[in-house]
Amino acid sequence: DRATWSTVATPAPAPAGHNAPFFRDGVEPRDVLVAEVEGTITGYVRLTHPYPLASSAHVLHVSGIAVAPAFQRRGVGTALLAAAEREARGRGARRLTLRVLAHNAGARHLYERAGFVVEGVMCGEFLLDGQYRDDVLMALDLTPMTDSPRSGTSASGASQARRARRGSR
């Protein structure tokens, strides 16, 4: 986190010193997937539940992802997102969400290549370096293409768009 921190990547303050705990309340070791190249830890992705509610237990959220600078643009981020998707599916999740700053073009491109789609934009959500920056909510639909909506309700336009996009790949 310290090596990759910038106001392009996160609105959070710079990480504390070396003694700051990586695992905090609500984050267990099983929630963090680690990338390793030739014995060197090169990145991680952290999965959490976005809300402590039973009604959203089917959603997992990428609450952190980082790739060591020397390993960026070498497929590590792609591998981490693929592992996060497998883990989310393995836990029975139907959605995998994340938030990304709109001006972080590299991350947005990575997420789009992994199949995430924009579901919403919070305009001017953060004041960073003297500029108001948008925060973008992206999601990956993990439901099987054959799933049908329950109780006679129709699928949302966003779900239909994801399925159409997924089907055209």
Side-chain angles (χ1 to χ4, degrees):
D1 283 337
R2 284 184 294 280
T4 61
W5 183 90
S6 79
T7 56
V8 172
T10 181
H18 293 304
N19 295 329
F22 182 80
F23 295 102
R24 357 178 237 293
D25 291 340
V27 178
E28 300 176 22
R30 79 178 196 118
D31 297 328
V32 179
L33 307 176
V34 176
E36 183 181 300
V37 175
E38 297 177 6
T40 300
I41 293 175
T42 58
Y44 77 90
V45 62
R46 181 176 50 238
L47 300 174
T48 57
H49 287 280
Y51 307 103
L53 304 170
S55 59
S56 72
H58 63 285
V59 180
L60 280 175
H61 184 76
V62 174
S63 61
I65 184 168
V67 175
F71 291 90
Q72 291 176 0
R73 294 181 179 31
R74 293 176 54 187
V76 174
T78 299
L80 284 168
L81 290 173
E85 180 181 349
R86 283 191 304 276
E87 179 69 15
R89 286 181 188 280
R91 293 188 194 184
R94 296 175 58 86
R95 288 174 46 81
L96 183 59
T97 63
L98 59 83
R99 289 172 59 177
V100 60
L101 293 169
H103 65 290
N104 190 345
R108 289 184 66 181
H109 182 69
L110 171 68
Y111 303 145
E112 288 167 358
R113 280 194 344 256
F116 286 81
V117 296
V118 173
E119 289 194 339
V121 177
M122 294 177 281
C123 298
E125 188 74 1
F126 299 106
L127 178 61
L128 301 170
D129 300 327
Q131 295 186 356
Y132 290 97
R133 300 293 190 166
D134 297 348
D135 197 26
V136 180
L137 173 65
M138 298 182 80
L140 180 63
D141 182 8
L142 302 176
T143 59
M145 299 273 286
T146 58
D147 259 10
S148 61
R150 297 178 188 206
S151 306
T153 60
S154 63
S156 72
S159 291
Q160 291 172 354
R162 281 192 298 278
R163 289 186 176 136
R165 217 173 273 148
R166 208 179 332 158
S168 66
R169 287 186 190 157

